[in-house]
Amino acid sequence: MNELKPCPFCGGEKLKVEHKVSSMYKAGLKGVEPYTFSVRCNKCHARGTTVFGYLRCGICGLSEDAEKVVETRGQLENKATEAWNRRVTP
């Protein structure tokens, strides 16, 4: 995972990448679960852009369509980190 920049709102450096199973999206694909990832500041609770993706669920096999959309936890964490670190330069 890439290094996180300090919070743009409070300057806090105590940050974490959170992930949750997303009940908003139904994949309709065998062997995957929808997840959201985002960076959160533990000081002021600011949250970065939410990144959505599908992770493999347990031991069940993947359907052919699921093979095309499944990502790893690391890939989704990196996308959330890149979104957090994106800053407008003055």
Side-chain angles (χ1 to χ4, degrees):
M1 181 170 63
N2 300 330
E3 188 172 326
L4 293 165
K5 289 183 179 179
C7 178
F9 302 103
C10 71
E13 294 186 3
K14 196 169 183 184
L15 309 165
K16 70 178 185 177
V17 179
E18 292 186 330
H19 65 279
K20 296 179 183 180
V21 176
S22 175
S23 59
M24 290 179 57
Y25 303 95
K26 298 294 180 197
L29 301 170
K30 181 182 173 201
V32 297
E33 284 186 308
Y35 273 82
T36 59
F37 282 73
S38 61
V39 175
R40 187 178 71 120
C41 174
N42 288 330
K43 185 175 178 185
C44 74
H45 305 288
R47 186 177 304 276
T49 302
T50 300
V51 175
F52 174 79
Y54 294 104
L55 293 178
R56 179 182 214 118
C57 68
I59 58 173
C60 41
L62 294 176
S63 65
E64 191 174 308
D65 291 336
E67 287 281 353
K68 297 174 187 171
V69 298
V70 73
E71 297 182 75
T72 66
R73 179 182 298 269
Q75 288 171 319
L76 294 172
E77 285 178 353
N78 282 338
K79 286 181 181 181
T81 299
E82 288 172 10
W84 175 264
N85 287 339
R86 196 174 306 128
R87 301 279 199 271
V88 177
T89 53

